[in-house]
């Protein structure tokens, strides 16, 4: 953890709790910090993992907008807090993902300071999900919430908030080991560590997995080389994707991390609605043969944005995908925006493709992001 964060933060192994993946770690923290019926704030857009189902907490969105690159502002935090108050919800914390999924961006120091100042003022917790920390392949570099807290000297000047900052991490993204289900919680709060340790019995990491990983991670030369090569390949893939999308008349949010791009397809919508977004998604899925995550599935506040995952594609597959999108964009420019009348032959072909696609693909893609690319 320390090396990924530039050795700028010192971590005490006694404050670490293992969990069966980051999802389990996040849920455990929610159980420890928030009572059923209470609320946590979550900046949009965000990965649609279900933290409500078993915990009973309420999610209140912090609406972020494309006008400033979906950055978190103090006014957005205050608006979300007031919305919760209006609903008679007690806010217990704010949960962030840094780097962001689905944006593929790292949080700025200004954003992190906004969060710290806000948490001090409202006397709430900060949970920072940092599972993509090792995927940062371009500037600006990654800044952990713990580093920002240390820079603010919270350990000495505001020990209460220091004990209300918690980090979630896993090996799934940085080392490409999602099937190993190894996540962790880091907290300076002894009570949280104690409670999370007891709860970890419901999501243990097997002894065999721990033994294997301890031997692998002991090879510092290998892990360092692996992560550098991974970052290099991610950057190259992203540049290919962005270039291909640009030739199709599509732009991406400027990103520097993660396994995906946040693509702007608002110009292809028949109307500025989420219904039009869903229609566009279905058209691309059924007629182009590409499956992307619609922004509404990631709780985006604006229709027309899509998450495109690129990390697991070969170069040849990525080129095919870009060619299909380019052809689709050219057809769309000729016939107008999606929703205009198409030829009877196209309708027949579209109907055939829809029949060939099983229902579970529709349900999975329209409701949740692919767990593999979390």
């Amino acid at each position: 953890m320390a090396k990924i964060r530039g050795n700028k933060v010192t971590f005490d192994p006694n404050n670490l709790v293992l969990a069966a993946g980051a999802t389990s770690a996040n849920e455990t923290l929610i159980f420890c910090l928030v009572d059923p019926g209470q609320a946590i704030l979550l900046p949009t857009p965000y990965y649609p993992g279900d933290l409500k189902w078993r915990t009973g907490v309420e999610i209140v969105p912090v609406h972020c907008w494309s006008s400033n690159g979906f950055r978190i502002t103090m006014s957005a935090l205050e608006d979300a807090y007031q919305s919760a108050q209006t609903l008679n919800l007690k806010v217990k914390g704010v949960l962030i993902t840094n780097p962001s999924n689905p944006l593929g961006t790292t949080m700025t120091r200004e954003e992190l300071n906004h969060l710290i100042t806000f948490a001090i003022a409202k006397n709430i917790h900060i949970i920072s999900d940092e599972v993509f920390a090792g995927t940062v392949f371009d500037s600006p570099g990654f800044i952990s919430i713990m580093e920002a807290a240390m820079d603010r000297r919270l350990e000495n000047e505001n020990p209460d908030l220091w004990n209300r900052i918690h980090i979630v991490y896993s090996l799934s993204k940085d080392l490409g080991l999602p099937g190993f289900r190894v996540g962790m919680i880091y907290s300076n709060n002894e009570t949280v560590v104690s409670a999370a340790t007891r709860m970890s019995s419901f999501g243990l990491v097997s002894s065999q997995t721990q033994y294997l990983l301890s031997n692998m991670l002991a090879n510092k030369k290998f892990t360092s080389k692996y992560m550098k090569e991974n970052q290099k390949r991610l950057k190259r893939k992203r540049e290919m994707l962005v270039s291909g999308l640009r030739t199709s008349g599509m732009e991406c949010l400027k990103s520097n991390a993660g396994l995906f791009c946040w693509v702007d397809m608002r110009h292809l919508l028949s109307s500025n609605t989420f219904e039009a977004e869903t229609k566009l998604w279905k058209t691309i899925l059924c007629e182009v043969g590409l499956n992307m995550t619609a922004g509404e599935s990631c709780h985006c506040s604006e229709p027309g944005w899509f998450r495109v995952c690129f990390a697991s594609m070969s170069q040849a597959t990525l080129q095919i995908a870009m060619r299909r999108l380019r052809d689709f964009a050219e057809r769309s420019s000729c016939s107008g925006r999606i929703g205009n009348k198409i030829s009877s032959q196209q309708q027949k072909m579209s109907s055939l493709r829809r029949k060939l696609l099983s229902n579970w693909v529709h349900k999975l893609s329209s409701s949740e992001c692919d767990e593999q690319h979390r």
Side-chain angles (χ1 to χ4, degrees):
M1 288 179 71
K3 188 171 184 179
I4 292 172
R5 291 153 182 77
N7 292 314
K8 297 177 181 179
V9 180
T10 301
F11 292 98
D12 183 349
N14 293 319
N15 294 344
L16 196 67
V17 181
L18 292 182
T23 300
S24 176
N26 272 311
E27 187 182 62
T28 296
L29 269 178
I30 297 299
F31 271 124
C32 291
L33 303 176
V34 190
D35 290 332
Q38 295 180 337
I40 58 170
L41 307 183
L42 203 52
T44 65
Y46 59 85
Y47 173 77
D50 192 353
L51 291 175
K52 295 177 58 175
W53 179 46
R54 297 202 301 179
T55 63
V57 304
E58 297 296 328
I59 305 296
V60 178
V62 179
H63 291 291
C64 301
W65 307 92
S66 60
S67 56
N68 72 339
F70 296 97
R71 294 295 179 183
I72 298 172
T73 63
M74 186 63 81
S75 60
L77 290 167
E78 288 288 352
D79 288 346
Y81 190 86
Q82 291 305 316
S83 295
Q85 297 287 92
T86 301
L87 296 171
N88 293 317
L89 295 174
K90 183 176 181 179
V91 176
K92 292 299 294 290
V94 57
L95 170 61
I96 59 171
T97 304
N98 181 30
S100 168
N101 178 10
L103 299 179
T105 56
T106 51
M107 293 185 67
T108 64
R109 191 173 294 276
E110 181 181 20
E111 287 178 285
L112 294 170
N113 279 325
H114 283 330
L115 287 165
I116 291 171
T117 300
F118 180 75
I120 291 173
K122 306 302 183 185
N123 194 34
I124 60 175
H125 295 265
I126 298 175
I127 301 174
S128 181
D129 185 333
E130 301 182 356
V131 296
F132 291 100
T135 68
V136 179
F137 51 76
D138 210 344
S139 60
F142 172 72
I143 305 172
S144 171
I145 186 65
M146 202 64 76
E147 179 185 343
M150 291 178 69
D151 290 346
R152 294 273 294 260
R153 302 177 185 274
L154 293 184
E155 185 174 9
N156 297 320
E157 297 185 9
N158 199 314
D160 285 343
L161 181 59
W162 180 255
N163 290 327
R164 295 199 308 273
I165 294 177
H166 321 280
I167 293 178
V168 169
Y169 183 65
S170 91
L171 303 181
S172 297
K173 317 309 172 189
D174 294 347
L175 290 177
L177 299 171
F180 279 50
R181 307 311 301 155
V182 179
M184 56 204 77
I185 296 167
Y186 186 87
S187 176
N188 292 308
N189 190 314
E190 292 183 5
T191 303
V192 170
V193 170
S194 177
T197 300
R198 288 181 172 86
M199 291 192 67
S200 68
S201 297
F202 300 101
L204 293 172
V205 180
S206 72
S207 299
Q208 293 86 347
T209 300
Q210 292 187 50
Y211 179 79
L212 174 63
L213 287 174
S214 63
N215 280 277
M216 186 184 78
L217 296 175
N219 188 337
K220 305 295 184 184
K221 184 177 180 180
F222 164 75
T223 53
S224 178
K225 184 177 179 180
Y226 177 94
M227 294 188 68
K228 286 180 180 178
E229 180 63 23
N230 189 42
Q231 291 162 359
K232 180 180 175 182
R233 293 185 185 187
L234 287 173
K235 183 176 182 179
R236 185 166 64 243
K237 285 277 188 70
R238 183 203 177 268
E239 289 172 348
M240 286 180 59
L241 177 63
V242 171
S243 176
L245 289 170
R246 190 164 287 142
T247 61
S248 304
M250 303 174 195
E251 295 293 332
C252 296
L253 183 72
K254 182 175 174 55
S255 60
N256 64 322
L259 318 178
F260 31 73
C261 280
W262 193 235
V263 185
D264 184 0
M265 296 188 180
R266 288 176 292 178
H267 61 291
L268 294 175
L269 297 180
S270 58
S271 62
N272 188 32
T273 63
F274 286 109
E275 289 77 11
E277 178 185 275
T278 299
K279 194 169 187 176
L280 175 60
W281 167 75
K282 287 183 178 179
T283 301
I284 294 175
L285 176 66
C286 299
E287 297 184 14
V288 185
L290 298 177
N291 190 14
M292 300 179 289
T293 306
E296 186 179 18
S297 296
C298 294
H299 310 277
C300 186
S301 302
E302 303 173 26
W305 291 87
F306 289 78
R307 189 187 75 159
V308 177
C309 298
F310 58 80
S312 61
M313 291 188 200
S314 66
Q315 183 171 333
T317 301
L318 186 56
Q319 289 173 342
I320 292 171
M322 291 302 96
R323 185 172 67 247
R324 290 184 183 181
L325 268 182
R326 184 170 61 252
D327 292 343
F328 168 72
E330 289 174 356
R331 292 198 306 271
S332 300
S333 63
C334 292
S335 60
R337 291 185 174 185
I338 303 305
N340 288 349
K341 186 177 181 181
I342 59 178
S343 69
S344 59
Q345 181 64 26
Q346 285 177 305
Q347 289 176 346
K348 290 178 181 178
M349 290 299 295
S350 176
S351 177
L352 177 61
R353 290 192 181 100
R354 289 175 193 274
K355 290 178 181 178
L356 293 174
L357 286 168
S358 56
N359 288 333
W360 69 266
V361 173
H362 289 278
K363 292 177 181 178
L364 175 63
S365 302
S366 62
S367 62
E368 291 192 357
C369 301
D370 188 342
E371 175 67 20
Q372 163 184 338
H373 296 302
R374 183 179 179 282

